Amino acid sequence: MTPSNYKMPLFLGLISTLVMPFLTFIFVGLFIVRLEIGLDLFSFFYTAFDLLYAFFFLVLFAGNLFLLKALLLRISFKNHTLKTFNFLVQSNFILFAFLTIATIFFSIEPISEAAYTFWLACFSIGILLNISIGIYLLIQAKSERKTVFLWIGFAFVFAQVFDYSGFRVFFSLTENITPDFIWEFLGLSFFDYESMASEIKTMFDEITSVSLFLTLSLGAVIVLVRTVALAIFYVLMAQLLFMRKKPKKILLNSNEEKTSLKMDS
C-alpha cells in the first residue's frame, strides 16, 4: 500500500460511522412498524435496507482484514510474533469466503434455520478471531512498548464485542410475527386490554413504554460504542500505516541535499 491509500481507512470510517448506524436505525424502525401495523406497505424498504446492511457488513469485514494485512507488512515485530499474527489474519481471510457465502444464503432465505445457523456460526468464529487479533496487539503493545498498538487493540476488541450485526438473527426469528404478537406473548387480547380498569391500563402502558425505551436505549448505546471504537481504529491505522513515515522521508531528503551541497562547495 502507498501513502495515498489512507483513503481506504477514511472510506471504511465513513461506512462505519454514517452508513451502518443509519441502516440499523431505519431497519429497527421498520421492524417496530411491522410489529404495530404489519409490513405490507414497507416490505420493499425492509428488504432493501436488509440487503444493503449485509453488503456493507461484508465490505467492512473485508476492509478490516486488508488493513490488518497492511499492518502485518509494516510492523517490526519478532519473527515468531509475525507468524502468529499472520496465522490469525489468514484464517480470517479463509473465514471471510465462508461468511460471504453464508451472508448470501442468509439474505435470500432469512427464515431458513440452516441459513441463519450457518451465518451465525461463521459470524461468531470471525468475531473470536478478530478479538484474538486485538488481544494480540495489546500484548505486543506491552512487549514492544508502542502505545499506538495498545489503542488500536483496545478499539478493535471493543468494536468486535459490541458488533450488533449478530442481532439480525433475532429479527429473522420473528419473520412470521403478526401485529398481535405482544398480546399473544402476554397471554392477553385487545379486548382484555380494553376491559381493564383505567389505573391498570395506565400502569400497563407505562411499563410497556419504559421497557421499549430501555431496549432501544441499550441498542443505541451498543451502536454508539461500536461506532466510536471503529472510528478510533481507522484513524490510528491511517496514522500508523500511511502518514507516520512521510515526515521521516522528507527529513532524510533534506539531509541528503545538505550533504551534497557541502560536497559541491
Side-chain angles (χ1 to χ4, degrees):
M1 290 188 178
T2 62
S4 62
N5 286 106
Y6 71 88
K7 296 179 181 179
M8 181 179 179
L10 177 62
F11 173 70
L12 296 175
L14 290 176
I15 293 177
S16 64
T17 57
L18 297 178
V19 177
M20 297 297 280
F22 172 76
L23 292 176
T24 299
F25 290 133
I26 292 295
F27 188 82
V28 172
L30 291 174
F31 179 78
I32 294 175
V33 169
R34 179 186 177 213
L35 289 180
E36 294 291 335
I37 62 175
L39 196 64
D40 293 338
L41 297 177
F42 303 99
S43 58
F44 171 78
F45 298 101
Y46 185 87
T47 303
F49 281 112
D50 187 21
L51 293 176
L52 283 174
Y53 185 91
F55 171 74
F56 285 111
F57 164 76
L58 292 176
V59 170
L60 276 184
F61 197 98
N64 291 340
L65 290 182
F66 281 111
L67 286 180
L68 292 171
K69 184 69 174 179
L71 181 64
L72 178 66
L73 298 175
R74 297 285 293 272
I75 57 180
S76 57
F77 290 157
K78 297 177 182 178
N79 190 37
H80 70 278
T81 301
L82 287 176
K83 289 181 179 179
T84 305
F85 193 80
N86 182 55
F87 172 77
L88 292 172
V89 174
Q90 293 299 331
S91 298
N92 231 349
F93 268 110
I94 296 173
L95 176 73
F96 176 72
F98 289 96
L99 184 62
T100 301
I101 298 173
T103 302
I104 293 174
F105 281 115
F106 187 26
S107 300
I108 296 175
E109 293 290 340
I111 61 175
S112 170
E113 182 177 356
Y116 66 69
T117 300
F118 179 39
W119 182 87
L120 185 60
C122 294
F123 172 77
S124 301
I125 296 174
I127 291 293
L128 292 176
L129 286 173
N130 282 330
I131 290 177
S132 299
I133 292 173
I135 293 176
Y136 212 80
L137 288 174
L138 293 176
I139 296 173
Q140 296 308 314
K142 181 178 180 181
S143 61
E144 300 287 334
R145 296 180 180 180
K146 295 183 179 180
T147 308
V148 65
F149 292 134
L150 180 68
W151 290 108
I152 288 177
F154 269 125
F156 199 58
V157 169
F158 269 88
Q160 307 312 311
V161 172
F162 290 91
D163 191 343
Y164 47 85
S165 302
F167 290 107
R168 177 63 183 87
V169 174
F170 294 105
F171 291 115
S172 298
L173 297 176
T174 60
E175 284 292 333
N176 296 320
I177 283 180
T178 65
D180 296 328
F181 165 74
I182 297 178
W183 304 110
E184 296 173 358
F185 178 77
L186 296 174
L188 298 172
S189 66
F190 180 76
F191 300 103
D192 295 330
Y193 171 77
E194 289 295 328
S195 63
M196 292 180 181
S198 59
E199 294 82 2
I200 299 177
K201 186 185 297 185
T202 301
M203 182 178 66
F204 179 84
D205 292 339
E206 290 177 351
I207 293 175
T208 304
S209 299
V210 170
S211 300
L212 180 61
F213 173 77
L214 292 177
T215 302
L216 294 177
S217 299
L218 178 60
V221 169
I222 293 175
V223 172
L224 178 62
V225 171
R226 174 172 168 79
T227 301
V228 172
L230 283 177
I232 294 174
F233 173 74
Y234 292 130
V235 169
L236 293 178
M237 289 292 282
Q239 179 187 8
L240 180 64
L241 295 177
F242 312 118
M243 298 180 183
R244 173 166 291 188
K245 292 192 175 183
K246 293 177 71 176
K248 293 183 179 179
K249 293 180 179 180
I250 295 175
L251 180 60
L252 180 61
N253 293 334
S254 178
N255 291 335
E256 290 177 350
E257 290 178 359
K258 290 180 180 179
T259 303
S260 62
L261 288 174
K262 289 180 180 179
M263 294 177 65
D264 293 338
S265 62

